[in-house]
Amino acid sequence: MRRLRRAIVAVLALALVAGAIYAIVAVLQRSETLVSERCVAVVGSESYELATDQSANASLIAAISVRRGMPPRAASIALATAMQESRLRNINYGDEAGPDSRGLFQQRPSQGWGTEAQVMDPLYAANAFYDGLAKIPGYESMEVTQAAQAVQRSAFPRAYAQHEPMGRAFASALTGHSESALSCELRMPDAAGDPAAVVNELTTAFGAQASSVEGRSVHVDVTGTQAWAIGHWAVANAKELSITQVDVAGHTWNREKRNGWTDAAAPSDTLTITVSAPTT
């Protein structure tokens, strides 16, 4: 009888432990599901929010301006323009004013912007916009509406102005002129990241960088505004590339902690981007 009681107690204990583990896992899974994924850029006391796909497109547009050596104002104009034209999404349709408009900037093949395939390529589209902007004398001191309209020739030129504050905040962060100013709140990745994919996408955006791969991490030998431009780019692309941590200039963004940028002991002469490991 005593053995039976001990066996029953052991079974009950195991059941309680299993139930507790199940409850913890369920809570964690539910908390992940409840995470509202978004990216936020802060300038001064103001903050501006974009969805993760919008932020990734914004990061490419800003990176190309950095690669071309253009001032942050160029990125502000480009981001405000793309937000008005496509909501910063690479859409494959136009409207009544431009039925053949396509892509981030709603560029029209019929007006000489390129083929449909070209304007649907975000890299091509952003460069085409900057090519046009660079031809506008004094665009750096123009109102966003004036500069954008000079390139786009929109039927609604004043509409660009409403997106200027957002464009300025994201451009300042994504060109590296504001430190620890862009953060994304994300669920944890459900697949392993690939350091090589990070290097490939980084090269597409910024051109070749002095970098090395060590395990799950990519080390990029950059400092100053370039380091922050790439660091913020990595955060903006963390969802797609399964990035879990970014370390730059003594600051860390950690995907799991979801507390923005915090102080860390990261060396100031190296930027490190870490991707998720395979699940076991």
Side-chain angles (χ1 to χ4, degrees), residues 51 78 145 193 226 243-244:
T145 52
Q226 186 79 353
I243 292 168
T244 55

Side-chain angles (χ1 to χ4, degrees), residues 204-256:
T204 296
F206 289 94
Q209 304 291 315
S211 63
S212 61
V213 174
E214 183 179 347
R216 310 304 301 170
S217 296
V218 177
H219 304 288
V220 190
D221 188 15
V222 287
T223 58
T225 57
Q226 186 79 353
W228 278 108
I230 295 175
H232 285 141
W233 170 88
V235 173
N237 288 274
K239 180 178 175 66
E240 183 68 24
L241 295 172
S242 295
I243 292 168
T244 55
Q245 185 165 313
V246 181
D247 296 287
V248 55
H251 295 78
T252 292
W253 173 85
N254 185 286
R255 180 171 181 160
E256 183 176 10

Side-chain angles (χ1 to χ4, degrees), residues 24-279:
I24 292 170
V25 171
V27 169
L28 290 174
Q29 289 177 334
R30 187 163 60 249
S31 65
E32 285 292 302
T33 303
L34 293 174
V35 171
S36 177
E37 297 190 312
R38 63 199 179 114
C39 296
V40 176
V42 177
V43 57
S45 61
E46 302 295 326
S47 62
Y48 301 89
E49 181 179 320
L50 291 176
T52 56
D53 62 323
Q54 293 173 306
S55 297
N57 286 327
S59 74
L60 177 62
I61 292 170
I64 294 169
S65 76
V66 172
R67 183 174 181 173
R68 294 173 63 121
M70 301 181 82
R73 181 64 172 171
S76 294
I77 296 167
L79 292 179
T81 301
M83 188 64 172
Q84 173 59 30
E85 296 290 359
S86 69
R87 303 297 297 176
L88 276 167
R89 291 187 164 107
N90 196 33
I91 55 179
N92 63 353
Y93 56 86
D95 55 27
E96 292 181 2
D100 66 331
S101 299
R102 297 290 186 272
L104 289 171
F105 292 90
Q106 286 290 277
Q107 293 155 335
R108 300 182 64 182
S110 64
Q111 294 186 351
W113 283 100
T115 67
E116 182 173 337
Q118 285 175 322
V119 299
M120 281 297 297
D121 175 1
L123 185 66
Y124 175 94
N127 272 302
F129 178 84
Y130 287 129
D131 286 344
L133 186 64
K135 296 175 183 176
I136 309 301
Y139 74 84
E140 300 95 327
S141 58
M142 286 183 177
E143 292 183 8
V144 163
T145 52
Q146 290 178 301
Q149 176 63 4
V151 179
Q152 297 290 105
R153 303 191 182 281
S154 169
F156 307 99
R158 301 304 302 175
Y160 299 115
Q162 64 186 312
H163 305 297
E164 181 173 5
M166 177 283 302
R168 185 170 60 250
F170 274 86
S172 185
L174 290 166
T175 60
H177 287 79
S178 291
E179 298 181 1
S180 57
L182 187 151
S183 182
C184 296
E185 183 171 325
L186 305 170
R187 303 183 191 100
M188 290 302 290
D190 54 11
D194 181 0
V198 173
V199 173
N200 288 339
E201 292 299 320
L202 174 62
T203 302
T204 296
F206 289 94
Q209 304 291 315
S211 63
S212 61
V213 174
E214 183 179 347
R216 310 304 301 170
S217 296
V218 177
H219 304 288
V220 190
D221 188 15
V222 287
T223 58
T225 57
Q226 186 79 353
W228 278 108
I230 295 175
H232 285 141
W233 170 88
V235 173
N237 288 274
K239 180 178 175 66
E240 183 68 24
L241 295 172
S242 295
I243 292 168
T244 55
Q245 185 165 313
V246 181
D247 296 287
V248 55
H251 295 78
T252 292
W253 173 85
N254 185 286
R255 180 171 181 160
E256 183 176 10
K257 293 180 179 178
R258 302 190 183 103
N259 57 354
W261 289 91
T262 58
D263 292 339
S268 59
D269 59 346
T270 302
L271 181 152
T272 302
I273 302 167
T274 303
V275 301
S276 61
T279 56

